[in-house]
Amino acid sequence: MASVWKKAMVMAVFFSSLLCFCFDFSEAQLPRFQHAPKPDGSLSFLVIGDWGRRGFYNQSQVALQMGRIGEKLDIDFVVSTGDNFYDNGLKGSDDPTFHDSFSRVYTADSLQKQWYIVLGNHDYRGDVEAQLSPILRQMDSRWLCLRSFIVDAEIVEFFFVDTTPFVDQYFIDPKDHEYDWRDVSPRKNYLKKLLAELEMGLGESRAKWKIVVGHHTIKSGGHHGNTNEIVTQLLPILKANHVDLYINGHDHCLQHIKSSNSGIQYLTSGGGSKAWRGDFNWINPDEMKFYHDGQGFMSVQMTEAQVEIAFYDVFGNVLHSWSASKHLSHSAI
Ligand SMILES: *[C@@H]1O[C@H](CO)[C@@H](O)[C@H](O)[C@H]1NC(C)=O
């Protein structure tokens, strides 16, 4: 008898919390994770995008060099900018592609760290729930993929954003593809809530550095070019909140673009496997600091005072690096 009551209570609490979660938009917040920097206050990580092809198209070569550089920089974690599994995401949480394109490929010791992962448009062509499922985390504890979330690393706060639902084309003209919009529809509400949560999270952030990660480009000279929906809906929020770096994939290249009208640096790390597309939309020499139409990845090393990024090719050579610093004003509260 007592156990029946206990069950009923648990169910009541469960459903009331579910109700709060669903209807209380004003109080809604992005899921939040803490990732402390090293004891000396520094933090380093690698960024890879557009990768899952069972090791083919140089994915394995890139993974090997990530392992080498990851060890050299003593990385704390890895960031994935999405398009984790080609061509059509995962079929389910038991899809062997997860092992063949992730666990079996990124095997170096230095890569056995937490991975923070967003979804790309190709992931939305499969079973999205599977990539978000804790079952994958049980199979490989590095895996953490959510739609949108915050990682608070004290000296820097990361805002991971689900950018695919912003793009009109996938809804209006999906061509031969089917997208898994469960939990995205109604789309208008989804985007409104996400933008509100992001605005609130960025506004409340007291971190010295703010980094936003999404799959789609804001500014890009590559095949896909700029993503208009993200430029009009997301970028104003990033500008208003003085975001330092916007990191994306989607275009299968490595790229560094300096904004001419804000402090934002646009960094593309989408060279995780298939690349060499050979088409550019634009190259404005005042903004385009670096473009590599091939495979590779990016590293970020930072302290509260400094950030340093580098791009590497498939051989692990540094192709481009850039750094910036901020004044530390300990007196200011
Ligand atoms: C792999 O990388 C090498 C060196 O950059 C390049 O020559 C080759 O074309 C790449 N292979 C593929 C399939 O992209």
Side-chain angles (χ1 to χ4, degrees):
M1 200 60 182
S3 81
V4 171
W5 270 109
K6 220 159 142 190
K7 234 182 206 163
M9 286 290 284
V10 169
M11 292 294 272
V13 169
F14 175 73
F15 280 114
S16 59
S17 61
L18 208 65
L19 284 176
C20 293
F21 184 72
C22 293
F23 295 116
D24 200 351
F25 274 27
S26 59
E27 292 294 313
Q29 282 188 352
L30 295 171
R32 217 184 159 80
F33 301 86
Q34 308 283 331
H35 199 127
K38 295 190 182 73
D40 69 358
S42 71
L43 188 78
S44 63
F45 57 96
L46 301 181
V47 185
I48 177 110
D50 305 81
W51 43 268
R53 296 185 194 267
R54 300 167 185 267
F56 293 111
Y57 294 98
N58 285 340
Q59 188 197 356
S60 294
Q61 279 74 2
V62 173
L64 194 76
Q65 296 305 328
M66 285 171 69
R68 205 171 62 81
I69 302 299
E71 185 169 344
K72 197 171 142 199
L73 304 185
D74 187 19
I75 56 162
D76 297 282
F77 52 81
V78 179
V79 166
S80 166
T81 59
D83 275 4
N84 307 315
F85 302 103
Y86 286 98
D87 271 327
N88 299 312
L90 290 182
K91 287 194 187 73
S93 52
D94 56 355
D95 190 332
T97 299
F98 179 68
H99 182 257
D100 294 346
S101 288
F102 178 63
S103 302
R104 194 186 60 82
V105 175
Y106 302 102
T107 51
D109 282 350
S110 70
L111 304 179
Q112 308 305 307
K113 304 278 160 63
Q114 183 68 65
W115 283 52
Y116 295 112
I117 298 157
V118 292
L119 298 164
N121 49 307
H122 282 265
D123 301 309
Y124 264 100
R125 294 186 194 170
D127 179 350
V128 167
E129 299 298 329
Q131 289 204 48
L132 306 175
S133 155
I135 296 170
L136 295 196
R137 249 167 279 161
Q138 280 160 22
M139 288 197 276
D140 192 323
S141 61
R142 296 177 286 175
W143 187 261
L144 184 68
C145 179
L146 281 85
R147 287 179 202 268
S148 300
F149 58 106
I150 296 174
V151 174
D152 175 359
E154 295 171 23
I155 56 170
V156 48
E157 214 160 323
F158 295 86
F159 299 82
F160 292 84
V161 184
D162 185 21
T163 56
T164 305
F166 284 93
V167 180
D168 291 338
Q169 186 212 315
Y170 307 137
F171 294 84
I172 296 163
D173 182 22
K175 307 232 166 64
D176 295 334
H177 309 301
E178 257 186 66
Y179 291 87
D180 179 1
W181 300 130
R182 285 177 294 171
D183 290 351
V184 168
S185 18
R187 183 187 175 205
K188 228 172 120 185
N189 291 9
Y190 182 88
L191 296 178
K192 201 171 148 195
K193 179 167 175 279
L194 170 53
L195 289 170
E197 288 171 342
L198 200 62
E199 202 162 11
M200 187 191 275
L202 279 165
E204 284 172 354
S205 174
R206 293 290 161 263
K208 198 87 184 173
W209 301 91
K210 297 184 188 79
I211 298 179
V212 176
V213 179
H215 177 66
H216 289 80
T217 57
I218 290 181
K219 252 181 177 316
S220 170
H223 174 74
H224 293 102
N226 307 352
T227 311
N228 292 333
E229 296 89 337
I230 316 280
V231 171
T232 54
Q233 295 171 63
L234 186 63
L235 181 57
I237 297 174
L238 309 194
K239 280 186 177 168
N241 289 285
H242 308 290
V243 165
D244 300 284
L245 313 179
Y246 179 74
I247 303 178
N248 60 274
H250 198 46
D251 271 335
H252 298 180
C253 62
L254 305 175
Q255 169 176 229
H256 174 200
I257 298 173
K258 181 182 168 295
S259 172
S260 49
N261 58 15
S262 78
I264 303 174
Q265 308 290 324
Y266 301 101
L267 305 165
T268 301
S269 185
S273 59
K274 198 174 184 178
W276 301 110
R277 186 103 197 197
D279 51 355
F280 309 99
N281 278 302
W282 57 268
I283 290 193
N284 172 351
D286 290 337
E287 294 194 320
M288 184 74 73
K289 295 291 148 198
F290 164 71
Y291 191 96
H292 175 59
D293 187 29
Q295 284 103 359
F297 60 100
M298 182 174 92
S299 70
V300 181
Q301 294 176 271
M302 55 196 306
T303 62
E304 198 176 19
Q306 224 207 356
V307 64
E308 192 180 337
I309 62 147
F311 287 99
Y312 306 82
D313 67 9
V314 72
F315 306 109
N317 298 320
V318 175
L319 299 175
H320 170 73
S321 61
W322 172 87
S323 66
S325 45
K326 284 192 188 197
H327 288 292
L328 296 177
S329 49
H330 287 297
S331 55
I333 290 288

